[in-house]
Amino acid sequence: MSWEMAVEAGQDPSLLGEDEFYGYGVDAGTGCFYDAAADGSFPGTEEEEGAVWAAMETVGHGPAVFLAEGEDGHTLAGFTSGWGDGCYPTWIGRDAEGRVTCFVTDFLVVPPRASASA
């Protein structure tokens, strides 16, 4: 298994400093994963209506995970984000053949280990 930072076109992780990362923005304390092919499959989301908001209402407030069924058979996996709104890095896990097996977002809730010199 190998891991790589999820980036958008034009983002180069080798240009980042030690404590820097590319990530995605979280608003309303909720993040999600969906395939790029699903863009436009969840109308009404920005107006706080539609499939995503209906799915969020089924789990209530607090830590939650939910699935939203969009148009054309697309599904979105949503989840509450660690410290709420902000920017968080995502990592892509690949198997020995290089196939994508998972995505993991680091919500930065576990403090980094102290350095050996501290």
Side-chain angles (χ1 to χ4, degrees):
M1 177 138 213
S2 65
W3 294 94
E4 64 188 72
M5 184 182 294
V7 296
E8 293 184 28
Q11 295 178 330
D12 182 353
S14 70
L15 301 176
L16 298 173
E18 185 176 326
D19 294 326
E20 296 178 315
F21 59 84
Y22 295 111
Y24 67 89
V26 169
D27 192 16
T30 305
C32 68
F33 291 144
Y34 69 91
D35 190 285
D39 269 353
S41 297
F42 299 92
T45 302
E46 291 185 24
E47 291 81 29
E48 298 187 19
E49 57 187 47
V52 174
W53 287 91
M56 287 173 60
E57 289 175 10
T58 66
V59 295
H61 296 285
V65 175
F66 62 89
L67 293 175
E69 301 281 333
E71 296 176 353
D72 301 321
H74 293 289
T75 303
L76 173 150
F79 36 83
T80 53
S81 58
W83 295 116
D85 298 352
C87 184
Y88 301 100
T90 294
W91 298 89
I92 302 170
R94 295 184 181 272
D95 66 15
E97 286 78 38
R99 294 177 297 219
V100 174
T101 58
C102 64
F103 294 90
V104 176
T105 293
D106 182 352
F107 286 118
L108 310 173
V109 296
V110 176
R113 289 196 301 186
S115 66
S117 62

